[in-house]
Amino acid sequence: MRGERGKRARSTILDVARLARVHPSTVSRILNDRPGLTLRPETRARVLAISKRLDYRPSALARSLRLQRTLTLGMLVPDIANAFLAGIIKGAEEACHERGYTLIVCNTADVPEREATYLRVLRERQVDGVLVASARLSDESIGSLLAERFPVALVNRGTHVDRGTRGNDDLWVHVDDRGGAVAAIDHLAALGHRRIAHVAGPQTTTTGRERLVGTRAALRRHGLTGTIVEAEAWSEVEGYRAARQLLRGDPPSAIFAANDLIAFGVLRAAREAGLDVPEDVALVGFNDIPEAALVDLSTVHVPQHEMGARAAELLIARAEGRPIAEPRILLETRLVARGSSAPAKERVTA
Amino acid sequence: MRGERGKRARSTILDVARLARVHPSTVSRILNDRPGLTLRPETRARVLAISKRLDYRPSALARSLRLQRTLTLGMLVPDIANAFLAGIIKGAEEACHERGYTLIVCNTADVPEREATYLRVLRERQVDGVLVASARLSDESIGSLLAERFPVALVNRGTHVDRGTRGNDDLWVHVDDRGGAVAAIDHLAALGHRRIAHVAGPQTTTTGRERLVGTRAALRRHGLTGTIVEAEAWSEVEGYRAARQLLRGDPPSAIFAANDLIAFGVLRAAREAGLDVPEDVALVGFNDIPEAALVDLSTVHVPQHEMGARAAELLIARAEGRPIAEPRILLETRLVARGSSAPAKERVTA
DNA sequence: CGCATTCGGGAAATCGTTTGCCCGAAGTCG
DNA sequence: CGACTTCGGGCAAACGATTTCCCGAATGCG
């Protein structure tokens, strides 16, 4: 209509005010439903009508600038394509969305430089908080955030931050890795397995360490020793590599892999070695990513969606200054027995 | 130091200006390296030093408000956990990051209501453009965007938008679905297969339709008829369901699945039916997601990363008002022959 | 030496909201 | 009937940058 090129800019609160013959502040109050203000219903209706007619949408930018909060959370993840992390991201995103927050997911690829860059970007954008799922985000970056009292929540990430940083009220959501490992070993032991191996995750991560600790404890309790090999990364490829090493000699009758991806690698290695799963070797993974169900892999279930959601909720509460009853959430795991773990064959040791 | 609670707010450009004894505008000019301005090196150095000392970071909010651009792109995807889309997202994210842009990924779960909500959020945040990878985003939502000349780029998404919307210069990045399907069929035919089936993708998506068209054409060219069943979604589960239907009678000697997830379903169904892949039935997928390599699935490679990156580049160019030589990019596919496709067995028809 | 440039940078408007304060009119109360 | 509240809403100052003018001083030129 106005301006031949259809270049009508988005309408602002001033446009609405002008047409409704009120002051912009009045429009703001009406639209935000400010309590404690008395408005004539007629005025309110008029403003509402005009604002609808103009399809007025307040600028989040201007509002954020004024309010000093952006209703935005940042999230640092090492790999968005990782199915386990994707579950967590979805949980976080959903929780954010429900509360009117927007989530900015940053893919750090586990390289410290990118982490630092992203952290800078997020702070320039004044996000209200940061969700950290990066397994080994450099402690200094995170420490400086914590030191500035910048809202941070750690998801599925180790505890090695809280040295000097009065760490008592940082936000954590993680899962009982140790308990999950114990459950896995118990499960295999209950099936009659005595020669159980563990393909551990990278010992640079707390998750990897915790699962190993649980495994060792459970094995000991069952009076077993067990072989342990370490995968250098949480990947199928590394699992495969580690498993080949494991299957060289006389193979164990059961293998507990530190996560599902590693388990997939084990599976591939076993098949290549001519071993049938579960006939010749039982296999249990960890995390219960969607693919696990597809290949019928027994695994320790981790509530990924819930982890993400709870972490986001925690962070939002903190960002909004609400008191937090339980800043550290430890979620329970649950063993999901599928086809990859069968009872041990009767024949005694080789 | 100042303020016992360490509550020092982030320093602003005014703080820098004050300490450097210059006007804020000068600080801005120096930090943004505005050309055509003459500054005494001494002043510049002083400002730079102060700004470093104060660890000054300009507020992206304030700048965006003033500049009327946010250096932010939105992206609508149906499922962030889908490996294929994850590849595209990573490509887009990386391209954005390289150019100083931030990407906000929104998970629409393919429900129109969420799409609409997210679109509103993104516009309120004044993102500079939107990347749409949602396979069937309601045309009206998208149409209204296009009508307002809001920068939009379509990734791996059909063309059925450009009816009334002068669609000549919208941005597209997609892949030669038809050609890929032809390559898959050619591959199977070259291996000697004559009884080839196709598990088609949802025909509500252009991708699904295009791949079917290519398949039909190639089959015809080889003088084959071929069985066709349709999966109702791009999922393993639907692929499984469709494949069971397919394997009931006398099974084909080769199956071309419309994407890798569907192929995985086919694989499971075949195994359950006691058929060996590739011995009894050859299998080819589409997309070449990372998992395909793991299970040794032959597939049609789609440059996911490049798709995302190119789309983001296109969109950024448009958002910045740069002329775009080629607004529609069609990327080529490439057949990756792996273990799941073997030559047909010699015995003639059943 | 007078005038015009160039140098080096200051002033102020602007982006679009929100909110504390203020104020006139109308109603209430004593 | 006058003082005091309550109504209904206007005013203007932020929020933190960028950018278009503008201007005094120093320099160059003739």
Side-chain angles (χ1 to χ4, degrees):
Chain A
M1 303 287 185
R2 71 172 62 165
E4 58 273 80
R5 310 216 327 267
K7 201 174 169 296
R8 50 159 183 211
R10 5 180 322 154
S11 46
T12 79
I13 201 171
L14 273 84
D15 300 323
V16 177
R18 207 149 30 221
L19 266 73
R21 308 215 168 288
V22 295
H23 195 268
S25 61
T26 306
V27 177
S28 171
R29 284 193 263 253
I30 291 179
L31 264 36
N32 295 314
D33 211 19
R34 271 284 151 278
L37 254 290
T38 53
L39 274 295
R40 213 176 332 163
E42 172 188 321
T43 312
R44 161 185 304 269
R46 184 159 31 102
V47 168
L48 252 29
I50 299 282
S51 104
K52 180 151 302 177
R53 180 150 68 77
L54 258 46
D55 190 32
Y56 166 65
R57 306 181 187 299
S59 154
L61 249 39
R63 170 186 285 147
S64 295
L65 181 59
R66 174 68 231 249
L67 262 34
Q68 291 299 84
R69 40 193 294 247
T70 51
L71 293 179
T72 304
L73 261 36
M75 181 165 190
L76 260 31
V77 290
D79 183 13
I80 194 188
N82 177 309
F84 175 63
L85 294 172
I88 295 183
I89 295 174
K90 279 171 81 170
E93 202 239 15
E94 201 152 301
C96 283
H97 192 233
E98 279 171 9
R99 288 162 186 72
Y101 278 70
T102 300
L103 185 69
I104 298 183
V105 181
C106 304
N107 207 69
T108 67
D110 245 339
V111 355
E113 188 194 323
R114 282 181 71 109
E115 285 169 355
T117 314
Y118 268 126
L119 230 31
R120 186 169 51 66
V121 170
L122 291 176
R123 305 204 43 200
E124 282 178 4
R125 295 184 166 257
Q126 281 167 255
V127 297
D128 295 339
V130 174
L131 241 36
V132 178
S134 204
R136 50 182 181 197
L137 175 57
S138 69
D139 288 354
E140 45 191 334
S141 302
I142 235 188
S144 82
L145 280 186
L146 288 174
E148 295 184 37
R149 299 198 170 277
F150 190 88
V152 174
L154 271 30
V155 196
N156 191 47
R157 184 197 198 278
T159 143
H160 42 288
V161 179
D162 60 347
R163 285 160 315 182
T165 58
R166 92 207 174 280
N168 247 348
D169 60 339
D170 350 335
L171 273 17
W172 284 3
V173 176
H174 45 193
V175 85
D176 185 6
D177 286 308
R178 216 175 283 197
V182 169
I185 298 299
D186 284 356
H187 170 63
L188 291 172
L191 288 174
H193 292 282
R194 307 291 297 168
R195 293 171 44 243
I196 303 177
H198 177 48
V199 180
Q203 295 300 300
T204 52
T205 65
T206 33
T207 293
R209 284 205 293 266
E210 287 293 298
R211 293 182 187 172
L212 175 56
V213 168
T215 300
R216 282 222 169 95
L219 285 173
R220 196 174 319 119
R221 187 157 45 71
H222 288 288
L224 306 173
T225 55
T227 327
I228 305 218
V229 296
E230 179 184 342
E232 310 265 328
W234 296 104
S235 68
E236 201 267 0
V237 172
E238 265 301 309
Y240 173 78
R241 196 196 52 71
R244 281 180 51 131
Q245 175 182 339
L246 195 61
L247 299 174
R248 262 205 302 262
D250 65 340
S253 78
I255 300 180
F256 167 43
N259 87 356
D260 293 340
L261 254 31
I262 291 177
F264 292 160
V266 173
L267 200 58
R268 182 155 62 96
R271 281 199 187 126
E272 275 192 19
L275 296 170
D276 184 79
V277 173
E279 272 312 301
D280 303 319
V281 51
L283 181 59
V284 172
F286 207 118
N287 279 353
D288 196 19
I289 60 178
E291 289 83 351
L294 298 184
V295 303
D296 211 24
L297 174 72
S298 299
T299 186
V300 178
H301 178 78
V302 172
Q304 308 154 35
H305 192 93
E306 185 181 359
M307 287 180 78
R310 299 288 291 274
E313 287 166 17
L314 237 38
L315 189 54
I316 288 175
R318 160 95 10 126
E320 294 178 348
R322 296 203 305 270
I324 296 177
E326 196 52 75
R328 304 193 173 185
I329 297 181
L330 182 68
L331 297 175
E332 287 307 316
T333 61
R334 173 171 53 79
L335 189 114
V336 181
R338 297 205 180 94
S340 73
S341 54
K345 284 189 266 189
E346 291 312 316
R347 65 181 159 93
V348 252
T349 76
Chain B
M1 303 288 181
R2 68 174 64 165
E4 59 273 77
R5 311 214 328 266
K7 203 177 169 295
R8 53 162 179 208
R10 7 179 320 154
S11 45
T12 79
I13 200 172
L14 272 83
D15 301 325
V16 178
R18 207 149 28 222
L19 266 74
R21 307 217 168 287
V22 296
H23 196 269
S25 59
T26 305
V27 177
S28 171
R29 284 190 268 251
I30 292 178
L31 262 36
N32 295 313
D33 210 19
R34 272 283 152 280
L37 254 291
T38 52
L39 274 296
R40 208 173 340 161
E42 171 188 324
T43 311
R44 159 184 306 269
R46 183 157 32 101
V47 168
L48 253 28
I50 298 281
S51 105
K52 180 151 301 176
R53 181 150 68 77
L54 257 45
D55 190 33
Y56 165 66
R57 306 180 188 299
S59 157
L61 249 38
R63 170 187 284 146
S64 294
L65 182 59
R66 175 69 233 253
L67 263 34
Q68 291 299 86
R69 39 193 297 247
T70 51
L71 294 179
T72 304
L73 260 35
M75 181 166 192
L76 259 32
V77 288
D79 184 13
I80 194 186
N82 176 309
F84 175 63
L85 294 172
I88 296 184
I89 295 174
K90 279 170 80 169
E93 202 240 13
E94 200 153 303
C96 282
H97 192 233
E98 279 171 8
R99 287 160 186 73
Y101 278 70
T102 300
L103 185 68
I104 299 183
V105 181
C106 303
N107 207 70
T108 67
D110 245 340
V111 354
E113 188 194 322
R114 282 180 72 110
E115 286 170 355
T117 314
Y118 268 128
L119 230 30
R120 186 169 50 67
V121 170
L122 291 177
R123 305 204 44 201
E124 282 177 5
R125 296 184 166 256
Q126 281 167 257
V127 297
D128 295 339
V130 175
L131 240 36
V132 178
S134 204
R136 51 182 180 196
L137 175 57
S138 70
D139 289 353
E140 45 191 334
S141 302
I142 238 188
S144 83
L145 281 185
L146 289 173
E148 297 185 37
R149 301 199 169 276
F150 190 88
V152 173
L154 270 32
V155 196
N156 193 47
R157 183 195 195 277
T159 142
H160 41 291
V161 180
D162 60 346
R163 285 160 315 180
T165 57
R166 90 203 179 281
N168 247 347
D169 59 340
D170 353 336
L171 274 17
W172 285 1
V173 176
H174 45 194
V175 85
D176 186 6
D177 286 307
R178 214 176 284 198
V182 169
I185 298 299
D186 284 356
H187 171 62
L188 291 172
L191 288 174
H193 293 281
R194 306 292 298 167
R195 294 170 44 245
I196 303 178
H198 176 48
V199 180
Q203 294 300 298
T204 53
T205 64
T206 33
T207 292
R209 284 206 293 268
E210 288 292 298
R211 292 181 187 173
L212 176 55
V213 169
T215 300
R216 282 222 169 95
L219 285 174
R220 197 175 316 120
R221 187 157 47 69
H222 288 288
L224 306 174
T225 56
T227 328
I228 303 214
V229 295
E230 179 183 342
E232 310 266 330
W234 295 105
S235 68
E236 201 268 357
V237 172
E238 264 301 309
Y240 174 77
R241 196 196 53 71
R244 280 181 53 129
Q245 176 182 340
L246 196 62
L247 300 175
R248 262 205 303 263
D250 65 340
S253 79
I255 300 180
F256 167 42
N259 88 356
D260 293 340
L261 253 30
I262 291 178
F264 292 160
V266 173
L267 200 58
R268 182 156 60 97
R271 280 199 188 128
E272 276 192 19
L275 296 170
D276 183 78
V277 172
E279 272 312 301
D280 302 318
V281 51
L283 180 60
V284 173
F286 205 120
N287 278 353
D288 196 18
I289 60 178
E291 288 84 351
L294 298 184
V295 303
D296 211 24
L297 173 71
S298 298
T299 187
V300 178
H301 177 78
V302 172
Q304 308 154 35
H305 192 94
E306 185 181 359
M307 288 181 78
R310 298 289 290 274
E313 287 167 14
L314 237 38
L315 189 54
I316 289 176
R318 159 98 7 127
E320 294 179 348
R322 295 202 305 271
I324 296 177
E326 197 51 76
R328 305 194 173 184
I329 297 181
L330 181 69
L331 297 174
E332 287 307 316
T333 61
R334 172 170 53 79
L335 189 116
V336 182
R338 297 206 179 94
S340 72
S341 55
K345 282 188 269 191
E346 292 311 318
R347 65 179 160 96
V348 252
T349 76

